[in-house]
Amino acid sequence: MTDQIQRFTFANLPIRGEIISLQNSFQQICEQHNYSPLVRHLMGEALAATALMTEIIKIDGKIALQLQSPAFLKLLLTECNHQGQLRGVMHTNDQISAKSDYQFDDWTQGGQMAITIEPEKGHRYQGVVSLDKNTLGECLQDYFTMSEQLPTYIKLFVSDDKVTGLFLQALPQSEDSPTTREQAFEHVTALAETLKTDEALELEHQDILYRLFHQDEVTLFPPKALEFQCSCSRERNEQALLTVQASELMSLVKEQNGQIEMVCDFCNKQEVFTEQHIIDLITNSPSSEQVN
């Protein structure tokens, strides 16, 4: 299993953690859009971060991470649901091709990050913070610290074909804990900072945790599989078309040589609707207009 996320806990420390690796889904998403190595780096970070948040927040639904800025990054949007299904898309300024290295703070200068939580049942929630840190991980750390009032550590590692992410968070302290929450968090984050990029990307999850925390009693839970899966469908496209007035739809069909082509921004899947398809769609709609 190359794409997976695992929870881990410390027996004697008020700390919880998650560790994630992405390979197949990361490569598939990047190859669909032919992203350059620099763009792949930020996409990889965002995909791992979104999957981590989905597992941490634990809802039946999906979580979306959206970054926008007036600088080089126009839009980055990644989504993950409770079933571990990921997708993502990114649009950058044309000047990005002139960049020789990846610098998160430079690419996102003056931008904002929105985290949207959409449960299948219940109300949608969105939190927005400024992109004013040096890394995406640091921006997310601030978000969790402010929203949950719990010290949080996030470190993301990316190569051309793989992503690894590490999440640590201090928990409310029990009265009989021998170590304070602050001491425990300082201890585990100091150890986490010693993890090198090649180790993070080459070692298995259990080996990474042993490398970092072999002096602590850590329990690693079974992995949860992650995969690329786009939620687009022909039915959703039909519903989108029905939001347009029938007369406008028919005019659009004639302008586009007898058919309407719709392309998913996430997976590049194309759906073609001929003039007859459009007529049938309008005719069978409960609120259909007369088609002439």
Side-chain angles (χ1 to χ4, degrees):
M1 189 189 304
T2 60
D3 294 44
Q4 60 183 10
I5 187 167
Q6 288 181 270
R7 179 169 67 96
F8 61 93
T9 58
F10 294 80
N12 301 309
L13 298 174
I15 302 291
R16 67 169 175 170
E18 299 277 349
I19 187 166
I20 184 174
S21 295
L22 297 176
Q23 197 160 5
N24 291 343
S25 57
F26 170 51
Q27 293 179 32
Q28 189 172 355
I29 289 168
C30 290
E31 288 167 4
Q32 284 171 343
H33 300 275
N34 196 28
Y35 290 140
S36 70
L38 292 181
V39 172
R40 290 170 75 104
H41 192 115
L42 181 52
M43 174 56 76
E45 289 187 342
L47 288 169
T50 308
L52 282 168
M53 287 190 293
T54 305
E55 196 65 16
I56 293 155
I57 296 173
K58 291 191 181 300
I59 61 162
D60 287 342
K62 70 176 181 180
I63 290 180
L65 173 67
Q66 181 174 319
L67 278 60
Q68 286 184 289
S69 95
F72 297 102
L73 178 65
K74 291 182 178 179
L75 171 70
L76 186 154
L77 177 60
T78 50
E79 296 178 350
C80 184
N81 62 26
H82 64 280
Q83 296 174 306
Q85 297 171 333
L86 285 157
R87 66 177 188 169
V89 65
M90 189 189 318
H91 298 294
T92 59
N93 189 301
D94 291 339
Q95 295 175 317
I96 202 73
S97 59
K99 290 289 180 180
S100 59
D101 59 352
Y102 168 66
Q103 292 183 319
F104 177 81
D105 54 343
D106 183 30
W107 286 24
T108 60
Q109 187 175 15
Q112 288 187 321
M113 176 178 72
I115 295 171
T116 306
I117 302 170
E118 295 187 44
E120 291 181 346
K121 298 179 180 179
H123 298 290
R124 178 176 178 270
Y125 167 80
Q126 185 177 75
V128 180
V129 296
S130 297
L131 291 169
D132 55 3
K133 304 298 179 185
N134 292 328
T135 68
L136 176 59
E138 290 174 1
C139 291
L140 290 165
Q141 287 172 187
D142 271 9
Y143 170 81
F144 275 103
T145 301
M146 288 186 295
S147 64
E148 298 191 359
Q149 303 297 308
L150 295 172
T152 301
Y153 174 92
I154 298 173
K155 196 67 174 286
L156 304 166
F157 305 86
V158 185
S159 68
D160 286 345
D161 60 2
K162 187 177 180 181
V163 189
T164 299
L166 182 65
F167 172 94
L168 296 164
Q169 188 174 65
L171 298 172
Q173 187 176 344
S174 61
E175 293 182 0
D176 59 350
S177 176
T179 308
T180 67
R181 186 175 74 175
E182 290 73 19
Q183 290 172 329
F185 187 70
E186 183 178 350
H187 168 70
V188 296
T189 54
L191 292 173
E193 278 295 301
T194 67
L195 183 63
K196 299 176 182 178
T197 299
D198 58 345
E199 293 174 324
L201 294 169
E202 293 173 8
L203 295 178
E204 300 293 329
H205 287 179
Q206 61 184 13
D207 296 326
I208 292 173
L209 296 183
Y210 180 80
R211 151 76 175 80
L212 295 176
F213 310 119
H214 60 273
Q215 294 181 334
D216 299 293
E217 188 178 340
V218 176
T219 299
L220 179 63
F221 292 85
K224 174 181 176 179
L226 303 168
E227 63 175 350
F228 164 74
Q229 183 68 52
C230 192
S231 58
C232 70
S233 67
R234 188 171 182 86
E235 291 72 24
R236 288 193 175 193
N237 285 334
E238 288 175 346
Q239 292 303 312
L241 289 170
L242 287 173
T243 63
V244 181
Q245 289 187 354
S247 56
E248 293 183 22
L249 269 181
M250 296 309 299
S251 296
L252 188 61
V253 169
K254 296 184 186 303
E255 290 172 6
Q256 298 188 8
N257 300 318
Q259 65 181 32
I260 294 176
E261 296 182 3
M262 301 181 72
V263 180
C264 176
D265 204 25
F266 283 95
C267 68
N268 282 332
K269 181 181 179 181
Q270 183 185 65
E271 293 280 2
V272 177
F273 295 86
T274 65
E275 182 173 358
Q276 188 57 53
H277 284 144
I278 297 297
I279 292 172
D280 292 343
L281 185 63
I282 295 170
T283 303
N284 295 327
S285 172
S287 57
S288 63
E289 301 175 16
Q290 183 67 36
V291 179
N292 296 320

